[in-house]
Amino acid sequence: MSSSNPAMCDGPGANKPMHNDNKAPGRGGRTTRAKSEIRRHAILKATIRVAAKDGIKGIKHRSVAREAGVPLAATTYYFRDINELISDAFMLYAKEAGAELKAFHDTLNLVLDGVPEVQLRRGAEFRPELCQRLTDFARAWMQEQFTRRREQVLAEQVFLMEALRDDRLARVARRYRQSWIDGLEQLLVRLDSPCPRQDGTLIVNVVLGMSYDLLLEVPGTEAEVLSASVARIVQLALGVEPEDLRAP
């Protein structure tokens, strides 16, 4: 998870032809451009919702227009074809998810900022307490993803699966995944991990697998199991054994 923006280089609206309404001069032109961008954004958000409900095959000009509450012609006005609509919707999703991810990393870094440097080292006396604090925070974040943001997480899985067949989506997916790893690596360096890059990659892989299981509602992924899994991931990353966390 870096604070890098996963959709910086290829964001929604990149390389789009200018329409006449975007060329209007003066204040009226700015107002028209703003309204145009609001409508385009609404269409992309509707595409993400349709992806979550009906999958990639459900994304059609008509279904997206109906979900967005805009005329059918609006979707073809702003997007050359369905592939462009899907690609730009994923880029918007990645940009917004990247902002949430950055906030998650920033909060974790604030937690570490309040800990003396010597106590961030492996084997430090404060290590088990720090492990518990990070576990509580990570657990709350994961639970939030599968309650308030369940629809977005489902859309993410849909886009990631489609990225296996679409080169442009694959580039967005790789940047998105890399932003997770980069941010975790920075945190794990501060936490004195001997292999911060590998540990960050493993955590991302595990979390993505847990996400799939939770969305699929695989037996054994209820709240208690999720909590235990998150705790174990943090313990392994910090080099803390379960017995170190037990009350004396």
Side-chain angles (χ1 to χ4, degrees), residues 16 30 47 52 62 68 80 83 110 126 129 159 182 189 202 206 208 214 236:
K16 296 293 187 302
R30 288 194 295 272
T47 303
R62 190 173 300 277
R80 287 189 294 266
N83 289 334
L110 283 174
F126 182 67
E129 182 180 341
F159 286 131
D182 289 345
V189 166
L202 285 172
V206 170
L208 287 175
L214 286 163
L236 291 170

Short mmCIF file of all heavy atoms in Angstrom, two decimals, residues 16 30 47 52 62 68 80 83 110 126 129 159 182 189 202 206 208 214 236:
data_model
loop_
_atom_site.label_atom_id
_atom_site.label_comp_id
_atom_site.label_asym_id
_atom_site.label_seq_id
_atom_site.Cartn_x
_atom_site.Cartn_y
_atom_site.Cartn_z
N LYS A 16 -8.62 11.91 -24.32
CA LYS A 16 -9.96 11.94 -24.88
C LYS A 16 -10.08 13.12 -25.83
O LYS A 16 -9.52 14.19 -25.57
CB LYS A 16 -11.01 12.10 -23.76
CG LYS A 16 -11.04 10.94 -22.81
CD LYS A 16 -11.54 9.70 -23.53
CE LYS A 16 -11.74 8.57 -22.56
NZ LYS A 16 -10.59 8.21 -21.81
N ARG A 30 -16.65 27.42 -18.58
CA ARG A 30 -16.19 26.71 -17.38
C ARG A 30 -17.34 25.96 -16.73
O ARG A 30 -17.18 24.83 -16.27
CB ARG A 30 -15.55 27.69 -16.39
CG ARG A 30 -14.19 28.23 -16.84
CD ARG A 30 -13.47 28.91 -15.69
NE ARG A 30 -14.18 30.10 -15.25
CZ ARG A 30 -14.00 31.31 -15.77
NH1 ARG A 30 -13.16 31.48 -16.78
NH2 ARG A 30 -14.66 32.36 -15.30
N THR A 47 -20.96 2.69 -13.70
CA THR A 47 -20.31 1.50 -14.29
C THR A 47 -19.73 0.61 -13.20
O THR A 47 -19.84 -0.62 -13.27
CB THR A 47 -19.20 1.94 -15.27
OG1 THR A 47 -19.76 2.79 -16.27
CG2 THR A 47 -18.57 0.72 -15.93
N ALA A 52 -20.28 -4.42 -9.99
CA ALA A 52 -20.48 -5.12 -8.72
C ALA A 52 -21.73 -5.98 -8.74
O ALA A 52 -21.75 -7.09 -8.19
CB ALA A 52 -20.54 -4.11 -7.57
N ARG A 62 -26.75 0.72 -22.29
CA ARG A 62 -28.11 0.92 -21.79
C ARG A 62 -28.18 0.73 -20.27
O ARG A 62 -28.79 1.54 -19.57
CB ARG A 62 -29.08 -0.04 -22.49
CG ARG A 62 -30.55 0.26 -22.22
CD ARG A 62 -31.46 -0.62 -23.08
NE ARG A 62 -31.22 -0.40 -24.49
CZ ARG A 62 -31.76 0.60 -25.20
NH1 ARG A 62 -32.55 1.46 -24.59
NH2 ARG A 62 -31.52 0.73 -26.48
N ALA A 68 -26.99 5.34 -14.12
CA ALA A 68 -26.51 6.70 -13.90
C ALA A 68 -27.62 7.73 -13.98
O ALA A 68 -27.44 8.88 -13.56
CB ALA A 68 -25.43 7.05 -14.91
N ARG A 80 -15.72 6.04 -26.30
CA ARG A 80 -15.73 5.53 -27.68
C ARG A 80 -16.43 4.20 -27.79
O ARG A 80 -17.12 3.92 -28.76
CB ARG A 80 -14.29 5.40 -28.20
CG ARG A 80 -13.62 6.72 -28.51
CD ARG A 80 -12.30 6.50 -29.23
NE ARG A 80 -11.33 5.84 -28.38
CZ ARG A 80 -10.43 6.49 -27.64
NH1 ARG A 80 -10.42 7.81 -27.63
NH2 ARG A 80 -9.57 5.83 -26.89
N ASN A 83 -15.26 -1.02 -24.09
CA ASN A 83 -13.93 -1.29 -23.53
C ASN A 83 -13.34 -0.05 -22.87
O ASN A 83 -12.72 -0.14 -21.80
CB ASN A 83 -12.99 -1.81 -24.62
CG ASN A 83 -13.35 -3.20 -25.08
OD1 ASN A 83 -13.95 -3.97 -24.34
ND2 ASN A 83 -13.01 -3.53 -26.32
N LEU A 110 1.31 7.32 11.50
CA LEU A 110 1.11 8.16 12.68
C LEU A 110 1.22 7.35 13.97
O LEU A 110 1.77 7.83 14.97
CB LEU A 110 -0.27 8.84 12.60
CG LEU A 110 -0.39 10.03 11.65
CD1 LEU A 110 -1.84 10.50 11.57
CD2 LEU A 110 0.52 11.18 12.10
N PHE A 126 8.48 -3.34 23.81
CA PHE A 126 7.17 -2.82 23.44
C PHE A 126 6.55 -3.56 22.24
O PHE A 126 5.40 -3.33 21.90
CB PHE A 126 7.33 -1.32 23.10
CG PHE A 126 6.05 -0.63 22.74
CD1 PHE A 126 5.05 -0.42 23.69
CD2 PHE A 126 5.83 -0.16 21.45
CE1 PHE A 126 3.87 0.23 23.36
CE2 PHE A 126 4.66 0.49 21.11
CZ PHE A 126 3.68 0.70 22.07
N GLU A 129 2.98 -5.20 22.48
CA GLU A 129 1.93 -4.18 22.61
C GLU A 129 1.69 -3.49 21.27
O GLU A 129 0.55 -3.25 20.87
CB GLU A 129 2.31 -3.15 23.67
CG GLU A 129 1.23 -2.09 23.88
CD GLU A 129 1.63 -1.07 24.93
OE1 GLU A 129 2.53 -1.37 25.74
OE2 GLU A 129 1.03 0.02 24.93
N PHE A 159 -13.07 -6.33 -11.73
CA PHE A 159 -12.09 -5.68 -12.60
C PHE A 159 -10.78 -6.46 -12.63
O PHE A 159 -10.15 -6.59 -13.69
CB PHE A 159 -11.84 -4.25 -12.13
CG PHE A 159 -12.95 -3.29 -12.44
CD1 PHE A 159 -13.45 -2.46 -11.45
CD2 PHE A 159 -13.50 -3.22 -13.71
CE1 PHE A 159 -14.48 -1.56 -11.73
CE2 PHE A 159 -14.53 -2.33 -14.00
CZ PHE A 159 -15.02 -1.50 -13.01
N ASP A 182 4.17 -1.14 -2.14
CA ASP A 182 5.11 -0.07 -1.83
C ASP A 182 4.86 0.53 -0.45
O ASP A 182 5.78 0.75 0.33
CB ASP A 182 5.00 1.04 -2.89
CG ASP A 182 5.56 0.62 -4.23
OD1 ASP A 182 6.28 -0.39 -4.30
OD2 ASP A 182 5.27 1.31 -5.23
N VAL A 189 9.78 -1.53 6.71
CA VAL A 189 11.15 -1.06 6.94
C VAL A 189 11.23 -0.39 8.30
O VAL A 189 12.16 -0.62 9.08
CB VAL A 189 11.58 -0.09 5.82
CG1 VAL A 189 12.85 0.66 6.23
CG2 VAL A 189 11.81 -0.84 4.52
N LEU A 202 3.73 -10.71 0.30
CA LEU A 202 2.98 -11.83 0.87
C LEU A 202 1.70 -11.35 1.55
O LEU A 202 0.64 -11.98 1.42
CB LEU A 202 3.86 -12.58 1.88
CG LEU A 202 4.94 -13.47 1.28
CD1 LEU A 202 5.86 -13.99 2.38
CD2 LEU A 202 4.32 -14.64 0.51
N VAL A 206 -2.10 -12.47 0.57
CA VAL A 206 -3.00 -13.08 1.56
C VAL A 206 -4.29 -12.29 1.68
O VAL A 206 -5.39 -12.85 1.71
CB VAL A 206 -2.30 -13.19 2.93
CG1 VAL A 206 -3.30 -13.60 4.01
CG2 VAL A 206 -1.16 -14.20 2.87
N LEU A 208 -5.71 -10.33 -0.54
CA LEU A 208 -6.53 -10.51 -1.74
C LEU A 208 -7.27 -11.85 -1.69
O LEU A 208 -8.43 -11.94 -2.08
CB LEU A 208 -5.66 -10.42 -2.99
CG LEU A 208 -5.17 -9.03 -3.36
CD1 LEU A 208 -4.21 -9.09 -4.55
CD2 LEU A 208 -6.33 -8.09 -3.69
N LEU A 214 -14.14 -13.94 1.60
CA LEU A 214 -15.20 -13.22 2.31
C LEU A 214 -16.35 -12.87 1.37
O LEU A 214 -17.52 -12.96 1.74
CB LEU A 214 -14.63 -11.97 2.96
CG LEU A 214 -13.78 -12.22 4.21
CD1 LEU A 214 -12.94 -11.00 4.53
CD2 LEU A 214 -14.66 -12.58 5.39
N LEU A 236 3.25 -12.40 12.29
CA LEU A 236 4.33 -12.88 11.42
C LEU A 236 5.15 -11.72 10.87
O LEU A 236 6.39 -11.81 10.77
CB LEU A 236 3.74 -13.71 10.27
CG LEU A 236 3.14 -15.06 10.67
CD1 LEU A 236 2.38 -15.68 9.50
CD2 LEU A 236 4.22 -16.02 11.15
#
